[in-house]
Amino acid sequence: MRRRLVRSPDRAHRVFADRLEKTGAEGKTLNSLTLMLGMAAENAAADNLYQACVPLGWGEPLSLNL
């Protein structure tokens, strides 16, 4: 279970980063959400799951605008 919690933000970040690269949507909602997922992935990889939740919480409202 814990391993999945660490890998999920990283996978999501890679998917959104690829999508961002293909669309070239600099400065848009996708860019902000990709940044939030990257922060969550870094914190999860450092075993700081509490801090990983913070950018996910901020990213949730952004995802509603996609």
Side-chain angles (χ1 to χ4, degrees), residues 17-65:
D18 288 343
R19 183 174 167 190
L20 181 64
E21 186 176 313
K22 288 177 185 174
T23 62
E26 286 291 324
K28 301 220 179 194
T29 302
L30 184 60
N31 192 23
S32 298
L33 186 56
T34 303
L35 175 68
M36 294 295 170
L37 287 169
M39 291 169 53
E42 288 177 17
N43 284 313
D47 289 331
N48 194 344
L49 298 181
Y50 176 77
Q51 282 299 107
C53 291
V54 174
L56 292 177
W58 283 100
E60 182 181 8
L62 292 172
S63 68
L64 298 175
N65 294 325

